Amino acid sequence: MNLPNKLTVARVVLVPFFIFFLLTDIVPLSSLWALVVFALASITDALDGHIARSRNLVTNFGKFLDPLADKVLVISALVCFVDMGLAGAVPVIIIIAREFMVSGLRLVTAGEGVVVAAGIWGKLKTAFTMVAIVVILLFAVIFGKDSSSYEMWVTAVEQTLIWISTALTVISGAIYLNGYKSYINTDK
């Protein structure tokens, strides 16, 4: 297994540790540990793609697992945020629905021998969402995990970040659907 694929696998392996630290209170500084683990996992996302492309180490395994690892990491954070009262269910459901839609589209096009590569809007959506999650985790470190103790402005910033992520998610999903609509022609 090459280095980019090892980094991608590491991102998946870090997810349970991230969830544990985010949802537990038995570990001192658990919010800080959750932030550190999420940040490390996010950095592997930037590194694995850069290394794979610059060293010509792109593999089918990496093409498959990299977007899946991103989805598992981001969706895990967002679902935990809903559980903690840090995000609403509606934007998170929209984000998850888009991820299922794009994954389904990738399956359909793969059957035709076509790989749906991540476009600029998908990359922007992922990058912004990961940064938004880091900011929300930083607020949890500073103000505590209990959203009821937050200042009103913190909640407003968090909700704004989540809704911007949702808007980018919808835009990128629409672009993917439009770009590959010939593969989902319902008349065939």
Side-chain angles (χ1 to χ4, degrees), residues 31 84 86 136-150 154 158:
S31 294
M84 298 166 68
L86 302 176
I136 294 168
L137 290 169
L138 186 59
F139 286 161
V141 170
I142 295 168
F143 299 106
K145 293 179 187 177
D146 181 12
S147 63
S148 64
S149 68
Y150 282 22
V154 172
E158 289 175 342

Coordinates of all heavy atoms in Angstrom, one line a residue, residues 31 84 86 136-150 154 158:
S31 N -12.6 17.9 24.4 CA -12.9 18.8 23.3 C -11.7 19.1 22.5 O -11.7 19.1 21.3 CB -13.6 20.0 23.7 OG -14.9 19.7 24.3
M84 N -25.3 16.9 20.0 CA -24.9 17.8 21.0 C -25.6 19.2 21.0 O -25.4 20.0 21.8 CB -23.4 18.1 20.8 CG -22.5 16.9 20.9 SD -20.8 17.2 20.3 CE -20.2 18.4 21.5
L86 N -25.4 21.3 18.5 CA -24.5 22.3 17.9 C -24.9 22.5 16.4 O -24.4 23.5 15.8 CB -23.1 21.9 18.0 CG -22.5 21.8 19.4 CD1 -21.1 21.3 19.4 CD2 -22.6 23.0 20.2
I136 N -16.2 25.2 14.8 CA -17.2 24.7 15.8 C -16.5 24.0 16.9 O -16.8 24.1 18.1 CB -18.3 23.9 15.1 CG1 -19.1 24.9 14.2 CG2 -19.3 23.3 16.2 CD1 -20.1 24.2 13.2
L137 N -15.6 23.1 16.6 CA -14.8 22.4 17.6 C -14.0 23.3 18.5 O -13.9 23.1 19.7 CB -13.9 21.3 16.9 CG -14.6 20.1 16.3 CD1 -13.6 19.3 15.5 CD2 -15.3 19.3 17.4
L138 N -13.4 24.3 17.8 CA -12.7 25.4 18.6 C -13.6 26.1 19.6 O -13.2 26.3 20.7 CB -12.0 26.3 17.6 CG -11.1 27.4 18.3 CD1 -9.9 26.7 19.0 CD2 -10.5 28.3 17.2
F139 N -14.8 26.4 19.2 CA -15.8 27.0 20.1 C -16.1 26.0 21.3 O -16.2 26.5 22.4 CB -17.1 27.4 19.4 CG -17.0 28.6 18.5 CD1 -17.9 28.8 17.5 CD2 -16.0 29.5 18.7 CE1 -17.9 29.9 16.7 CE2 -15.9 30.6 17.9 CZ -16.9 30.8 16.9
A140 N -16.2 24.7 21.0 CA -16.4 23.8 22.0 C -15.3 23.7 23.0 O -15.5 23.6 24.2 CB -16.7 22.4 21.4
V141 N -14.0 23.9 22.5 CA -12.9 23.9 23.4 C -12.9 25.2 24.3 O -12.7 25.1 25.5 CB -11.5 23.9 22.6 CG1 -10.3 24.2 23.5 CG2 -11.4 22.6 21.9
I142 N -13.3 26.3 23.7 CA -13.3 27.6 24.4 C -14.4 27.7 25.3 O -14.3 28.1 26.5 CB -13.2 28.8 23.4 CG1 -11.9 28.8 22.6 CG2 -13.4 30.1 24.1 CD1 -11.9 29.7 21.4
F143 N -15.6 27.4 24.9 CA -16.9 27.6 25.6 C -17.5 26.4 26.3 O -18.4 26.5 27.0 CB -17.9 28.3 24.7 CG -17.5 29.6 24.2 CD1 -17.1 29.7 22.8 CD2 -17.5 30.7 25.0 CE1 -16.7 30.9 22.3 CE2 -17.1 31.9 24.4 CZ -16.7 32.0 23.1
G144 N -16.9 25.2 26.0 CA -17.5 24.0 26.5 C -18.4 23.3 25.5 O -18.9 24.0 24.5
K145 N -18.7 22.1 25.7 CA -19.6 21.3 24.7 C -21.0 21.6 24.8 O -21.8 21.4 23.9 CB -19.3 19.8 24.9 CG -18.0 19.3 24.6 CD -17.9 17.9 24.8 CE -16.5 17.3 24.7 NZ -16.4 15.9 25.0
D146 N -21.5 22.1 25.9 CA -22.9 22.4 26.2 C -23.4 23.6 25.4 O -23.0 24.7 25.8 CB -23.2 22.5 27.7 CG -24.6 22.8 28.0 OD1 -25.5 22.6 27.1 OD2 -24.9 23.1 29.1
S147 N -24.1 23.4 24.3 CA -24.5 24.5 23.5 C -25.4 25.5 24.2 O -25.5 26.7 23.8 CB -25.2 24.0 22.2 OG -26.4 23.4 22.6
S148 N -26.0 25.1 25.3 CA -26.9 26.1 26.0 C -26.1 27.1 26.8 O -26.6 28.2 27.2 CB -27.8 25.3 27.0 OG -27.1 24.7 28.0
S149 N -24.8 26.9 27.0 CA -24.0 27.8 27.7 C -23.3 28.8 26.7 O -22.6 29.7 27.2 CB -22.9 27.1 28.5 OG -22.0 26.5 27.7
Y150 N -23.5 28.7 25.4 CA -22.9 29.5 24.4 C -23.5 30.9 24.4 O -24.7 31.1 24.7 CB -23.1 28.9 23.0 CG -22.2 27.8 22.7 CD1 -21.6 27.0 23.7 CD2 -21.9 27.5 21.4 CE1 -20.7 25.9 23.3 CE2 -21.1 26.4 21.0 CZ -20.5 25.7 22.0 OH -19.7 24.6 21.7
V154 N -22.0 33.1 19.2 CA -21.3 31.8 18.9 C -22.3 30.9 18.2 O -22.0 30.3 17.1 CB -20.8 31.1 20.2 CG1 -20.3 29.7 19.8 CG2 -19.7 32.0 20.8
E158 N -21.9 29.5 14.3 CA -22.0 28.1 14.0 C -23.1 27.8 13.0 O -22.9 27.0 12.0 CB -22.3 27.3 15.3 CG -21.1 27.2 16.2 CD -21.4 26.5 17.6 OE1 -22.6 26.4 17.9 OE2 -20.4 26.2 18.2

